[in-house]
């Protein structure tokens, strides 16, 4: 098991963190396989539905049997109780849409990387005090790259990853990296409703390669 700093470095190296949830276990497995095929080695599965825990366990089984170098994190963790459930299920890292000291404590106890969601300088400061180094800026489409430019110097050493509305375009992804982010989180702009509904997983493969290329060009 990689250390939390190694996982953090891997997210930054990958440059993009795909995130998704689907009620269907089969669809969740198919999406994960296709992301992996395109070169993705870290994924955030989100705790956004009743099947999240069961599906996450199925993805861990997939990871262990087929995708040994995949690291599987869990997102949308809002309470210590949720954190414990998914740590017990084998989560490699924890991501939250907010700053919860209880979640930070569970991550620290288990020596896991915790990436909290922040929208204000106060939240970034509070997350930093709780040990977070990589911060999820959420929702990214509301904050915009200008927010990063404005606050980055206030928080030396803090790494930022905008999530929620990062666009599938060279222009948008370049704007984020030019502002100083370390990676971008991408959900429905990458793993679109159309791809899921029509099971167009080859489209997902092509889109993922494109997104990785956008990040490479942005750097």
């Amino acid at each position: 098991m990689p250390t939390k700093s190694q996982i953090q470095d891997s997210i930054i190296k990958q440059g993009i963190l795909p995130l998704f949830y689907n009620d269907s276990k089969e669809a969740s497995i198919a999406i994960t396989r296709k992301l992996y095929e395109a070169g993705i080695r870290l994924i955030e599965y989100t705790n956004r539905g009743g099947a999240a825990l069961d599906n996450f366990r199925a993805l861990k089984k997939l990871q262990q049997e087929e995708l040994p170098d995949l690291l599987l994190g869990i997102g949308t963790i809002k309470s210590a109780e949720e954190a414990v459930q998914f740590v017990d299920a084998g989560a490699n890292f924890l991501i939250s849409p907010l700053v919860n000291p209880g979640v930070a404590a569970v991550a620290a106890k288990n020596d896991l990387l915790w990436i909290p969601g922040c929208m204000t300088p106060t939240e970034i400061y509070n997350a930093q005090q709780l040990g977070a180094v990589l911060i999820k800026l959420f929702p990214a489409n509301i904050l915009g790259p200008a927010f990063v430019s404005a606050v980055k110097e206030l928080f030396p050493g803090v790494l930022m990853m905008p999530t929620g509305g990062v666009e599938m375009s060279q222009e948008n992804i370049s704007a984020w990296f030019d502002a100083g982010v370390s990676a971008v989180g991408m959900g429905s702009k990458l793993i679109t409703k159309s791809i899921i509904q029509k099971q167009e997983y080859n489209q997902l493969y092509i889109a993922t390669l494109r997104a990785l290329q956008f990040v490479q060009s942005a750097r």
Side-chain angles (χ1 to χ4, degrees):
M1 169 74 177
T3 65
K4 55 186 178 183
S5 63
Q6 285 171 332
I7 291 176
Q8 184 170 286
D9 289 347
S10 295
I11 291 171
I12 292 163
K13 184 181 176 186
Q14 186 167 281
I16 172 176
L17 186 64
L19 57 121
F20 76 98
Y21 168 77
N22 195 285
D23 283 328
S24 162
K25 188 177 296 182
E26 292 72 26
S28 297
I29 287 170
I31 290 164
T32 300
R33 277 197 180 115
K34 199 51 72 172
L35 289 168
Y36 187 88
E37 191 183 324
I40 294 295
R41 292 297 177 266
L42 301 99
I43 292 171
E44 173 191 345
Y45 195 70
T46 57
N47 180 31
R48 291 194 181 181
L53 187 56
D54 281 347
N55 288 356
F56 188 82
R57 288 186 178 124
L59 292 179
K60 283 301 293 185
K61 189 167 182 282
L62 176 76
Q63 175 194 39
Q64 288 156 1
E65 292 176 357
E66 285 183 38
L67 316 174
D69 53 346
L70 177 69
L71 291 169
L72 197 57
I74 185 68
T76 322
I77 296 298
K78 296 177 287 185
S79 70
E81 293 75 22
E82 289 173 345
V84 168
Q85 277 187 322
F86 283 94
V87 168
D88 288 347
N92 295 124
F93 54 97
L94 304 175
I95 301 185
S96 301
L98 42 77
V99 181
N100 181 326
V103 176
V106 171
K109 181 182 175 185
N110 292 278
D111 203 28
L112 287 180
L113 176 65
W114 169 60
I115 306 171
C118 299
M119 196 180 180
T120 67
T122 300
E123 289 171 353
I124 295 170
Y125 175 81
N126 289 341
Q128 200 175 20
Q129 295 304 297
L130 290 166
V133 176
L134 179 57
I135 302 294
K136 166 176 150 171
L137 296 178
F138 177 79
N141 59 329
I142 304 297
L143 293 167
F147 175 82
V148 178
S149 303
V151 303
K152 195 150 176 43
E153 286 185 14
L154 300 174
F155 302 103
V158 169
L159 307 172
M160 299 181 185
M161 178 175 70
T163 305
V166 174
E167 298 288 336
M168 263 290 284
S169 74
Q170 186 67 67
E171 184 183 13
N172 188 252
I173 288 174
S174 290
W176 284 110
F177 279 94
D178 288 348
V181 306
S182 297
V184 293
M186 291 195 77
S188 61
K189 302 289 184 183
L190 174 65
I191 305 157
T192 65
K193 280 182 182 172
S194 173
I195 283 171
I196 292 168
Q197 285 167 358
K198 298 174 185 173
Q199 299 185 359
E200 291 175 334
Y201 301 127
N202 282 334
Q203 276 300 116
L204 175 59
Y205 174 80
I206 293 163
T208 305
L209 291 179
R210 191 183 306 130
L212 287 166
Q213 183 59 53
F214 286 158
V215 168
Q216 200 174 340
S217 298
R219 291 172 158 166

